[in-house]
Amino acid sequence: MQDALRLMGEAARADRVYVFENHDSEDGSDVLMSQRYEWTREGVSPQIENPDTQALSYRNFPGVLELFRAGRNYQRLASQFTPREKELLVPQEIRSLACAPIVLQGSLWGFIGVDDCHEEHDWSPGQLLALKTAAVGIGGAIVCRDAERNLEGKATEFTSQRRVRASTLEESTLAAVLRTHATD
């Protein structure tokens, strides 16, 4: 993932590239986002450990969840930030950002984003297409990873069941041998 984010950052001339995963609030009343991965250009402050990037409500970014659900990118300049966005994003030194949804099997999983921490600029159509392409690739990688984990879990479960059967067979065989020798 780090290599993919680095390549994306270099290709987009971004200062920061990150992936956020969506999840529901504990009571199920809100969709939250939490940063899972990040690459930063040398000299740019990482935000992966920033508590403001964990369990953050989409309500802080009006309309973004709907854009992502429609499969559309989101981009914003610092001069366009709402007061709440300014409160969250300016301390991260974000001057321009663009994000693309990551969709897994028809459901919005999260998003990939790029930041420019030096100047405001609109991201070019080529940069936005590369971002969208990266989102599709990351989505595919996540599906493969989850399938692999599922197979590993099933293999472990199968191996565990075989061990139980083998142990039961050994115990039964030992009991039969002991009964046979006890009657001799």
Side-chain angles (χ1 to χ4, degrees), residues 159-173:
T159 302
S160 186
Q161 289 173 351
R162 287 185 64 188
R163 283 188 188 128
V164 167
R165 287 186 197 128
S167 177
T168 302
L169 182 59
E170 286 174 14
E171 290 171 7
S172 298
T173 303

Side-chain angles (χ1 to χ4, degrees), residues 48-112:
I48 194 81
E49 299 295 327
N50 181 345
D52 288 340
T53 65
Q54 303 301 313
L56 183 61
S57 173
Y58 273 96
R59 292 177 186 161
N60 292 298
F61 303 92
V64 174
L65 184 60
E66 292 73 21
L67 275 175
F68 286 165
R69 285 181 173 157
R72 296 179 48 208
N73 289 354
Y74 169 75
Q75 66 175 325
R76 189 76 104 181
L77 304 175
S79 61
Q80 300 169 329
F81 291 164
T82 66
R84 181 64 176 140
E85 289 173 333
K86 282 181 185 174
E87 184 181 318
L88 292 167
L89 302 177
V90 169
Q92 297 177 44
E93 302 172 340
I94 298 171
R95 306 285 297 141
S96 309
L97 66 85
C99 303
I102 298 172
V103 177
L104 303 186
Q105 301 170 334
S107 295
L108 179 63
W109 180 89
F111 63 92
I112 181 173

